[in-house]
Amino acid sequence: MSDTQLKTIHRALISVYHKEGLLEILELLVQHGVEIVSTGGTAQWIREQGFSCTDVENLTGYPSILGGRVKTLHPAVFGGILGRRHVEEDRKILHRYEIPWIDLVVVDLYPFEETLNSGAAEEEILEKIDVGGVALIRAAAKNHRDVVVVPSRNDYAYLLSILRQRNYTTAEERQRLARRAFAVTAAYDTAIGAWLGSDEDVLSALPNPGAPLHALRYGENPHQKGWFLGNLAENFDQLSGKELSYNNLLDLDSGYAFLEEFYQPVWVIIKHNNPCGLATSQNPTEAFDNALKADSKSAFGGVFLTNRPVPVSVAEKLKDFFFEILSAPDYEEEALDILSRRSQRILLRHKTFRRPSLVFRSALNGFLIQELDKVALGEEHLRVVTNHTPDEATWQDLRFAWKVVRHVRSNAIVLARHQMVVGVGAGHTARIDALRHALLKAQEAGLDTCGAVLASEAFFPFADSVEMAAKAGISAIIQPGGSVRDHESIEACNRLGLAMVFTGHRHFRH
């Protein structure tokens, strides 16, 4: 690499909202003899830490005006950032007007999305639209041949990794940060556009390219690279265990969807994005026992999730059981001690879930985009279409089974009894095969299907499936309805004494 591609940092402009993580950067810059220029509250904070800095007003000759709306938007600032060191005319102009070169720009933008999500008033949201910060980032990124830009507090660590070794940057480092910079400003503007636009503006909800990018151990398989774009810390704290993998995150996403469905204590066990056990009970330990009972063989190496603190009673049952992940809102102190004895176990303390409103998936040479399937099962949707009507206990199991089956891969069948899953058939090409598999799993687990209910996430129109269910003792079926052959399954239910309920909503999941 030629010397012309190595750029020493002599002067840094720092203007940030969040100050966390900035202190070591300041210490290293001062050690390297870098002059620091700063703005408003950032300059005040820098002095409070015991460092000297030059106020940006000393460069511009103007004070901060309009309540801080205009601070850095001035040729004395942007000339120093955009000036091209290799262009003689640029050098002459900066010399003529006594504009100092700026080699490093560190910015952390006003927290627009945080303010928006807090429910703040419109005026407060407007004031959190950063103008000067975005302009500084774009200017420094544009001139990354000479200037290094740090566009977000998420990039402080990368700058630190450079400053701990040296006071210059390479062309590759500057280009990498420039790419990040434009991703950050694009995401920032997209969020503002979404707020000003309508719910139908799909592009406003594109995944945030400015979010942290986490390199994973590997992708779906060891020969594939994998990444996660987003802030995992918003979802959970990792208390112990190895690094999370691509497949771990997919299973967690599936598991959290089930937890969102239930207010009462629930345990769910996920394997390859599908539930192999799920149960609710007012007694959390009983819920755990019933969830594991459904398919303890498939639960081996699975992902366990619950919406209640993990008690010692459950920790004792799990201490010698091999599982990948356990995610809970909290743990009893002794339970955490028991579960942590195996260092590779991943233990998570999850937080409030905030699932995206749109689902993205790559397809062909583009992306498929759809709304998240979040239609709740309202009483107004339920319609009994048979001569037999479910009793109250059966109604409870039907509602339970429907909450489960809507998150199972199609074609899907869920069998449930007494608020626990007794059999799951997932991802089959024929619905009757999904039913056959669910019955087989129940049989293998020694669970009685007599009096159980059946849920199908999509049309269930054929008499042969009803006949198979009736032979196993199934008492009621819940399905969307809407097939041109619904009459066949309704007639079979009437003939065999089963109740059938239509929900009016299909829940394909591919």
Side-chain angles (χ1 to χ4, degrees):
M1 181 178 294
S2 68
D3 291 342
T4 59
Q5 292 181 296
L6 303 177
K7 300 294 180 180
T8 301
I9 301 171
H10 299 288
R11 184 176 291 105
L13 171 59
I14 303 176
S15 181
V16 300
Y17 186 86
H18 292 99
K19 314 299 190 293
E20 298 85 354
L22 191 61
L23 185 57
E24 188 179 354
I25 290 175
L26 287 170
E27 292 172 345
L28 290 170
L29 289 174
V30 170
Q31 288 176 22
H32 290 306
V34 176
E35 179 189 347
I36 297 172
V37 179
S38 192
T39 62
T42 305
Q44 179 182 342
W45 182 86
I46 290 172
R47 293 190 180 99
E48 289 172 354
Q49 309 313 304
F51 301 101
S52 61
C53 68
T54 301
D55 289 312
V56 74
E57 288 91 336
N58 291 350
L59 268 63
T60 65
Y62 284 87
S64 172
I65 62 173
L66 304 179
R69 282 188 165 197
V70 181
K71 295 189 287 284
T72 59
L73 296 170
H74 192 280
V77 174
F78 282 85
I81 298 171
L82 287 166
R84 293 161 292 184
R85 277 66 166 172
H86 64 287
V87 177
E88 185 178 356
E89 185 62 25
D90 285 10
R91 295 199 304 270
K92 288 180 178 178
I93 289 174
L94 264 66
H95 178 74
R96 183 189 311 160
Y97 294 105
E98 299 181 344
I99 296 174
W101 298 101
I102 294 173
D103 311 296
L104 167 66
V105 174
V106 181
V107 175
D108 185 64
L109 298 171
Y110 290 163
F112 173 79
E113 286 189 279
E114 291 175 24
T115 307
L116 178 63
N117 293 332
S118 72
E122 181 177 342
E123 190 62 29
E124 185 179 352
I125 296 171
L126 281 170
E127 291 308 313
K128 287 298 186 291
I129 296 178
D130 205 316
V131 177
V134 172
L136 289 171
I137 291 171
R138 289 179 62 84
K142 176 177 180 176
N143 200 25
H144 67 270
R145 175 170 179 163
D146 297 310
V147 179
V148 58
V149 60
V150 177
S152 161
R153 57 178 167 167
N154 294 322
D155 302 296
Y156 289 175
Y158 186 66
L159 177 63
L160 280 170
S161 70
I162 297 171
L163 294 177
R164 286 168 183 157
Q165 303 175 60
R166 46 188 157 79
N167 187 33
Y168 60 85
T169 58
T170 67
E172 181 182 2
E173 290 164 346
R174 293 192 300 277
Q175 184 171 341
R176 171 177 170 171
L177 284 166
R179 285 198 304 268
R180 275 280 300 152
F182 286 116
V184 167
T185 58
Y188 196 78
D189 289 340
T190 295
I192 297 169
W195 175 58
L196 294 171
S198 66
D199 293 338
E200 290 73 35
D201 186 1
V202 172
L203 292 179
S204 69
L206 285 168
N208 183 352
L213 184 66
H214 302 265
L216 304 174
R217 292 205 310 268
Y218 50 80
E220 209 160 2
N221 300 290
H223 60 271
Q224 296 171 270
K225 292 183 179 180
W227 299 266
F228 176 80
L229 180 66
N231 191 346
L232 287 174
E234 291 180 357
N235 300 289
F236 47 72
D237 295 319
Q238 184 166 348
L239 307 180
S240 68
K242 58 189 177 182
E243 183 184 351
L244 289 160
S245 72
Y246 182 98
N247 294 328
N248 290 157
L249 295 178
L250 285 176
D251 283 339
L252 284 168
D253 183 67
S254 296
Y256 291 149
F258 287 103
L259 293 190
E260 285 184 316
E261 292 284 355
F262 297 96
Y263 295 104
Q264 62 270 51
V266 62
W267 275 87
V268 58
I269 307 168
I270 300 294
K271 196 71 172 286
H272 297 300
N273 296 173
N274 285 304
C276 56
L278 191 151
T280 66
S281 171
Q282 290 307 312
N283 182 330
T285 302
E286 182 179 63
F288 169 81
D289 290 339
N290 288 340
L292 185 59
K293 191 185 302 181
D295 190 355
S296 58
K297 182 171 65 176
S298 295
F300 185 82
V303 173
F304 287 67
L305 306 97
T306 183
N307 61 356
R308 293 295 190 276
V310 177
V312 173
S313 58
V314 170
E316 288 287 354
K317 296 171 187 287
L318 277 174
K319 67 179 181 180
D320 295 320
F321 191 92
F322 172 66
F323 62 88
E324 279 276 325
I325 301 174
L326 172 54
S327 183
D330 210 345
Y331 299 79
E332 291 182 2
E333 185 175 350
E334 186 179 348
L336 186 58
D337 178 64
I338 292 169
L339 293 166
S340 300
R341 291 171 189 169
R342 293 194 180 183
S343 60
Q344 292 298 299
R345 280 178 172 166
I346 299 172
L347 302 179
L348 305 177
R349 180 184 287 119
H350 58 239
K351 304 174 184 179
T352 303
F353 312 120
R354 192 180 73 180
R355 296 168 68 78
S357 59
L358 295 180
V359 178
F360 298 82
R361 185 172 179 175
S362 61
L364 302 175
N365 61 342
F367 292 90
L368 291 171
I369 306 171
Q370 66 171 346
E371 293 179 327
L372 185 69
D373 183 1
K374 53 188 177 181
V375 175
L377 181 63
E379 296 301 310
E380 69 277 10
H381 301 143
L382 299 174
R383 181 164 62 96
V384 179
V385 294
T386 50
N387 297 333
H388 294 79
T389 301
D391 59 26
E392 184 53 39
T394 303
W395 270 119
Q396 290 182 16
D397 279 343
L398 287 169
R399 295 185 185 98
F400 168 86
W402 187 252
K403 289 180 178 180
V404 178
V405 79
R406 61 178 292 174
H407 298 291
V408 179
R409 299 288 175 181
S410 302
N411 286 318
I413 293 292
V414 167
L415 307 179
R417 187 168 182 261
H418 302 324
Q419 301 294 287
M420 67 174 282
V421 168
V422 298
V424 177
H428 289 268
T429 53
R431 194 158 301 279
I432 194 167
D433 289 337
L435 173 56
R436 185 177 288 111
H437 186 82
L439 291 170
L440 176 64
K441 298 305 284 186
Q443 181 183 2
E444 289 179 347
L447 298 174
D448 189 5
T449 56
C450 187
V453 303
L454 180 158
S456 173
E457 98 292 3
F459 302 149
F460 197 81
F462 300 117
D464 56 354
S465 295
V466 176
E467 290 164 356
M468 182 182 291
K471 187 176 180 179
I474 301 299
S475 64
I477 297 170
I478 186 167
Q479 60 130 324
S483 168
V484 295
R485 300 180 67 169
D486 278 342
H487 64 279
E488 293 184 26
S489 58
I490 294 172
E491 289 170 1
C493 284
N494 286 333
R495 172 166 49 84
L496 297 166
L498 280 70
M500 179 174 280
V501 176
F502 283 2
T503 68
H505 290 287
R506 188 185 73 186
H507 293 285
F508 269 159
R509 185 170 172 79
H510 296 112

